[in-house]
Amino acid sequence: MASAKQEYVRLPLRLKTKETIWGRLTNIMFIATGVSQTIAKYYWHGPEVPSWSLRFHIIKNILNKYLAESLPQDTTNDLSEKIDFRFIADYIAMNNLPSRALTVDIGHNKEFNIVVDEHICTEYKLSRYGDSGNKINVLAEEDLASAQDGQPRTVSCQIVVGAAAQICTGCKATVGQHPRLQMLEPEPLSIDERVILHLHGGAYCVGERSLTHLHVYASMSSSTGLRVFSPNYRLAPRSCFPSQLHDCVLAYKDLLRRGFAPENIILSGDSAGGALAVALIFVLREMNAKMPVGLMLVSPWVDSTCSGESWTTNQGKDYLPPLNLENPFHPTRMFYAAGRRFSKQMLEELKCPLVSPIFGDFTGMPPMLVQIGQNELLHDDICDFVKKAKKQAEKDPNASPVLLEVYENMPHVFVLFDFADAAKQAFESMNRFAKQVFCK
């Protein structure tokens, strides 16, 4: 007897659902409305913060409008199993945040594929993480089976080099002056080349192919003089936890396979990517694997339960909208288990350190730089995370330093506003941190 066809609830979606002229016009009107309202408010009432330019206001408000209105925020928990999240995944991909292509005066990028063959297929030993450890093992077994069948999966990855980065040790030329394109190849330029492995943010759901972050990577590269590698890990809700973490582990292992030494790699991440970076360190430590030399985090989403007081006190100051875990479209819900109802059991599962690093053990962590905005909703969660890491470090004389930088009047992942003075200061701080960890 044939099973009944699943019936899904119809949803009031604000952006295009098909690639049609009408769909494109819908998106244009959505953005144009936000821009015109921002301009009118800016000139009528003045800037929200004196140091914010009109450009800053427009980007901040468009981000807020996109995050607050692209999916219905009044959807109730009881509808969780009646939503077609495959369709939602297509909808999010179709309406991804606008990206800015790199111009030659900013930087260069190239995409390559990581082949998940038998050499980097990993067997996880993560018994302390219970069911989460089991889930990531299932993914590893699937990859190994595909590799052995001669059909290995691939994970694409961006290489970005800032135009001002002096990387080639042979001729000391900037990338823009270099006569060859070696700098955009994934192999080490020298036996001791130092690089950054950055895990992009986007609430685990947006950031397709890292295109929203190219200017951030170029600024990081120009400031530090290092090439930036960024894996395009699988996105929710099409792929839920721990797909993202597994792909990031593979990206790190691929760098090692190509000849980059752990002591020459800085791991970094922003927002959801910051949480992935810390979780990756937890995985490497549990498996007694060599760790990167340092950890740089920008606005890391360290608590997916969103329990900090600043989720309330900073409302209206950040572009992130207030979120309710009862809503099936909460990024935590779509990332962890799209289509499953929220419950007390799920809340406890979200406290697994591989999901919410704030609940983890910080023993043996590499040196850490954490940069956050004063106005962001995640402010208190991140501060609690840093306090916990510092408190644990105080008990160990060999513990690595933990540095927290709070940037005044800045929102979540403020380095996306790469033209702002605070972002430029943050990139310079990354450079100082990189020099310190590489010279220790």
Side-chain angles (χ1 to χ4, degrees):
M1 182 176 179
S3 58
K5 184 179 179 180
Q6 172 72 52
E7 292 189 6
Y8 295 110
V9 66
R10 291 179 62 88
L11 297 166
L13 301 175
R14 294 288 307 277
L15 299 175
K16 65 183 178 184
T17 56
K18 293 181 180 179
E19 288 291 356
T20 62
I21 294 176
W22 176 249
R24 292 172 187 172
L25 287 174
T26 299
N27 283 20
I28 291 171
M29 287 301 298
F30 181 85
I31 294 174
T33 301
V35 171
S36 60
Q37 290 174 343
T38 300
I39 294 173
K41 186 177 179 181
Y42 181 86
Y43 284 111
W44 186 259
H45 297 287
E48 296 176 40
V49 175
S51 61
W52 291 1
S53 65
L54 176 59
R55 181 184 179 189
F56 193 105
H57 280 79
I58 289 173
I59 296 174
K60 172 182 173 289
N61 291 349
I62 290 299
L63 285 171
N64 175 263
K65 186 175 178 67
Y66 174 86
L67 295 171
E69 300 178 21
S70 58
L71 289 168
Q73 297 302 318
D74 57 353
T75 310
T76 54
N77 191 33
D78 61 294
L79 293 177
S80 300
E81 294 149 353
K82 299 178 182 179
I83 297 170
D84 184 356
F85 278 99
R86 290 171 299 181
F87 171 76
I88 294 299
D90 292 338
Y91 170 77
I92 292 173
M94 192 182 305
N95 297 289
N96 221 320
L97 289 170
S99 59
R100 291 183 292 158
L102 290 178
T103 54
V104 293
D105 60 317
I106 300 297
H108 304 258
N109 70 292
K110 183 178 179 180
E111 196 168 283
F112 72 95
N113 280 333
I114 298 169
V115 179
V116 187
D117 57 25
E118 295 181 58
H119 299 291
I120 64 168
C121 284
T122 189
E123 180 184 354
Y124 294 98
K125 298 177 182 178
L126 305 173
S127 57
R128 85 152 65 180
Y129 297 116
D131 188 51
S132 293
N134 294 334
K135 287 179 180 178
I136 199 168
N137 256 327
V138 169
L139 295 179
E141 290 169 0
E142 290 174 352
D143 277 343
L144 180 59
S146 296
Q148 291 174 338
D149 287 344
Q151 297 179 320
R153 188 169 65 89
T154 60
V155 179
S156 64
C157 186
Q158 294 281 353
I159 303 177
V160 181
V161 186
Q166 291 187 342
I167 292 174
C168 183
T169 56
C171 63
K172 301 295 183 183
T174 63
V175 66
Q177 300 167 331
H178 202 280
R180 295 170 294 174
L181 294 178
Q182 286 179 321
M183 294 184 185
L184 295 177
E185 296 301 323
E187 312 307 326
L189 298 175
S190 64
I191 194 170
D192 58 352
E193 185 192 1
R194 297 163 174 172
V195 295
I196 295 172
L197 175 62
H198 187 91
L199 311 179
H200 72 78
Y204 301 104
C205 300
V206 296
E208 187 73 37
R209 295 175 50 233
S210 304
L211 298 181
T212 52
H213 283 60
L214 291 181
H215 279 247
V216 173
Y217 301 158
S219 295
M220 291 173 68
S221 176
S222 286
S223 176
T224 62
L226 307 174
R227 294 197 292 168
V228 177
F229 289 68
S230 182
N232 305 319
Y233 56 78
R234 286 170 286 182
L235 298 176
R238 194 184 312 280
S239 300
C240 294
F241 173 83
S243 299
Q244 297 77 13
L245 177 57
H246 177 52
D247 287 354
C248 293
V249 173
L250 294 173
Y252 178 71
K253 292 189 68 176
D254 183 69
L255 285 182
L256 301 184
R257 174 175 63 174
R258 292 178 186 276
F260 293 96
E263 61 269 21
N264 289 329
I265 300 172
I266 288 179
L267 179 63
S268 68
D270 66 277
S271 192
L276 287 171
V278 181
L280 174 52
I281 294 294
F282 290 165
V283 169
L284 295 175
R285 183 187 60 194
E286 195 72 8
M287 298 174 65
N288 294 315
K290 291 185 177 180
M291 295 190 190
V293 71
L295 188 58
M296 298 192 303
L297 308 173
V298 181
S299 302
W301 188 12
V302 291
D303 183 1
S304 61
T305 70
C306 308
S307 60
E309 188 177 345
S310 55
W311 281 93
T312 300
T313 58
N314 275 355
Q315 283 186 21
K317 300 178 183 179
D318 197 2
Y319 60 77
L320 292 180
L323 302 169
N324 186 341
L325 278 169
E326 292 283 334
N327 188 319
F329 295 120
H330 190 296
T332 292
R333 300 275 305 278
M334 292 198 290
F335 155 65
Y336 185 70
R340 178 180 158 194
R341 290 195 187 199
F342 183 68
S343 62
K344 290 182 178 178
Q345 179 182 338
M346 182 185 287
L347 183 62
E348 289 305 307
E349 292 173 14
L350 293 176
K351 294 178 182 178
C352 170
L354 300 185
V355 182
S356 298
I358 194 171
F359 299 105
D361 174 11
F362 299 99
T363 303
M365 298 288 285
M368 198 182 324
L369 170 64
V370 183
Q371 300 174 324
I372 67 172
Q374 180 188 36
N375 289 0
E376 63 176 286
L377 296 187
L378 282 69
H379 178 279
D380 289 2
D381 290 338
I382 300 169
C383 287
D384 289 344
F385 166 82
V386 171
K387 287 177 185 176
K388 183 175 179 181
K390 285 186 174 181
K391 186 175 181 180
Q392 197 157 340
E394 289 172 359
K395 301 175 183 178
D396 181 4
N398 298 317
S400 299
V402 181
L403 177 62
L404 173 66
E405 297 177 347
V406 182
Y407 288 78
E408 186 178 10
N409 294 323
M410 286 293 108
H412 185 61
V413 194
F414 60 94
V415 294
L416 287 171
F417 303 79
D418 53 274
F419 53 87
D421 289 341
K424 295 174 183 177
Q425 293 167 15
F427 293 131
E428 283 305 312
S429 182
M430 292 178 191
N431 180 39
R432 291 191 295 272
F433 177 80
K435 287 181 179 178
Q436 290 170 1
V437 296
F438 283 133
C439 295
K440 67 176 184 177

